[in-house]
Amino acid sequence: MLTTDNSSPYEQFIGDDEEEEVEASTPGFFDDATKDLEPDEPNGSISPEDEVQVSPSRKFSKTCLKNVFTGVLVLIYVLLTTVAAFLAYQTISDFLEKLNNPVMSVTYKEVDSFAPPGIALFPGKARLLSCMHHYHDYIPPLVDPGKPQESNCMIQEVTYYEPFKNSTQKNALVIRGPSDVRNKEVIFMQFSHNETEEDFSAITYMLFAKYSDLTDSVNTSEFMRDCERNYSTWTFSGGFRTWVKMSLVKTSGKSNDGVEFRQESAVVKFNDRRPEPEQRNQLFFVVFEWRDPFMQEIRLIVTANPWNSGVILCGVFMALFKAANFAKLTIQWIIKIRKRHLRKKAKELNQIS
C-alpha cells in the first residue's frame, strides 16, 4: 500500500507536466483537440478508478475519429499546397509569355498635311517628259503626249552605287512628293521609252519618308544607298496610267522606330492616238497621291505587368508558407498525441500489475 501511494502522485506530476508542454507548444486549434482527447479533472489529477471506468470501445472510437480527422486535414492542406504551387508556376509562365510576345496596338492619327515624301525613280533609258502638281484629283487632258511638257516639280538627280553590288552604278531621279492631303494634291508624271526591242518594260520607283532628308544630308549618294537597303521598291508599266495612293505607317518597336509606306495602285490603259511612227516610243504615266489624311501608328505593348504578377506570387508564397507551417504543427501534434497515448497505456499496465 505504501508503494502504491508514493508512485501515484509521481506519475500524476509527470502527466501534468506533459500536458502543460503540449498546451504551450501547440496552437489553440490543437488545444481544443487535445482537451477532447484527454478530459481534465477540476483538480488537475486523474484517479485510477476513473481511468478504469472509461469504456475501451469509447476510447477506440474517439481515437479513430481524431485520426480520421487529422488525416483529412493533412490531405486538405496538401491539396491546397499543390494548387498554390500550380498557380505560382502558371503565373510565372504567363508573365514570361506576355513579356516575350508583345501585343500590337494600332492607332490612327488624322493630319491636315504630310511631310513631302521622297519619290525616287529609276527610269533607266526612259526620259522624263513632264512632272506637274495638280489638286482636287483633277488631271487635265493630255496635250501632245510623247513630247516634253511643262514641269513644276522639285527634282534632284543622284548617282550612287548599289548597296548589294558595289560595281553597279545607278541613276535616280528624286522628286518631292505631295503633302496637301486635304486638297488632294497629286503629282502626275510622263515618261517615254524608245527601246522597242524589249518584250516588257517598266520603271522602278521607291518611296522614303521625307524629301528634306535627302536635301539635308551631307552625302546624297550614301543616303540613297541606305534608302535602297531599307525600303521596298515597286514598278509601273508602259502603256498604262498607274494611280498610286500612298499611306504612311509608323512602327514603334522595342529598340527603334521605323517608317514604311503602304500603297494601293490602280491601272488604266492609255488610248494611244498618236501616228503609228510615233507609237514606237512607249509612254509611261504615273500619279502619286495620299490615300487619306490618317497616319497609322503601330506600337508594340508588353501586357505583362510585373506588379500584378508580384502581388499574386507574394500571396501564393504566403499561402505555401502557411500551409507548410500548419502541416508541420499538425505532424508535431500527432506525434505528441501518440506519445501521450503510449504513456497512458504504460501507466494503465503499471497500475494493473
Side-chain angles (χ1 to χ4, degrees), residues 174-187:
V174 184
I175 299 174
R176 184 178 183 270
S179 62
D180 192 349
V181 65
R182 289 296 180 184
N183 293 321
K184 295 185 178 181
E185 179 184 6
V186 300
I187 292 181

Side-chain angles (χ1 to χ4, degrees), residues 1 88 102 115 137 158 161 227 238 252 287 305:
M1 294 296 294
D137 283 349
V158 182
Y161 288 95
C227 287
S252 298
V287 181
N305 192 337

Side-chain angles (χ1 to χ4, degrees), residues 32-188:
D32 296 336
T34 53
K35 287 178 183 177
D36 293 338
L37 182 63
E38 186 181 1
D40 293 335
E41 292 292 331
N43 295 331
S45 62
I46 301 175
S47 63
E49 290 79 9
D50 295 335
E51 292 180 355
V52 174
Q53 291 176 1
V54 177
S55 173
S57 61
R58 187 179 177 184
K59 279 188 176 182
F60 176 78
S61 62
K62 284 186 177 181
T63 304
C64 181
L65 182 62
K66 287 179 171 56
N67 290 337
V68 171
F69 175 74
T70 303
V72 171
L73 191 64
V74 172
L75 288 176
I76 290 174
Y77 277 94
V78 169
L79 180 62
L80 292 177
T81 304
T82 304
V83 172
F86 175 76
L87 182 60
Y89 171 77
Q90 193 67 28
T91 302
I92 296 173
S93 300
D94 292 344
F95 177 79
L96 293 177
E97 184 177 358
K98 291 179 180 179
L99 188 64
N100 296 326
N101 299 295
V103 177
M104 184 179 295
S105 173
V106 180
T107 58
Y108 291 90
K109 180 180 178 182
E110 187 175 4
V111 296
D112 292 330
S113 62
F114 288 94
I119 304 173
L121 300 112
F122 306 95
K125 296 181 180 180
R127 184 167 61 112
L128 178 63
L129 298 179
S130 67
C131 178
M132 293 292 295
H133 287 259
H134 300 285
Y135 292 90
H136 306 292
D137 283 349
Y138 175 72
I139 299 175
L142 294 176
V143 178
D144 294 333
K147 296 181 180 178
Q149 304 290 330
E150 182 182 359
S151 299
N152 59 2
C153 298
M154 293 181 61
I155 303 173
Q156 186 170 350
E157 186 174 357
V158 182
T159 302
Y160 65 98
Y161 288 95
E162 287 188 4
F164 307 107
K165 298 178 182 179
N166 291 330
S167 59
T168 305
Q169 192 175 28
K170 298 182 71 173
N171 293 323
L173 292 177
V174 184
I175 299 174
R176 184 178 183 270
S179 62
D180 192 349
V181 65
R182 289 296 180 184
N183 293 321
K184 295 185 178 181
E185 179 184 6
V186 300
I187 292 181
F188 176 63

Side-chain angles (χ1 to χ4, degrees), residues 168-236:
T168 305
Q169 192 175 28
K170 298 182 71 173
N171 293 323
L173 292 177
V174 184
I175 299 174
R176 184 178 183 270
S179 62
D180 192 349
V181 65
R182 289 296 180 184
N183 293 321
K184 295 185 178 181
E185 179 184 6
V186 300
I187 292 181
F188 176 63
M189 287 177 279
Q190 299 183 56
F191 291 86
S192 66
H193 189 265
N194 59 4
E195 295 291 334
T196 57
E197 69 274 5
E198 296 180 1
D199 295 332
F200 303 96
S201 57
I203 294 177
T204 304
Y205 67 94
M206 177 179 62
L207 303 173
F208 57 89
K210 294 180 181 179
Y211 179 79
S212 58
D213 292 341
L214 174 68
T215 56
D216 296 340
S217 62
V218 178
N219 190 338
T220 56
S221 298
E222 191 64 29
F223 176 81
M224 288 302 301
R225 284 169 58 90
D226 293 337
C227 287
E228 186 171 348
R229 189 181 293 111
N230 297 320
Y231 290 96
S232 301
T233 58
W234 296 275
T235 59
F236 58 93

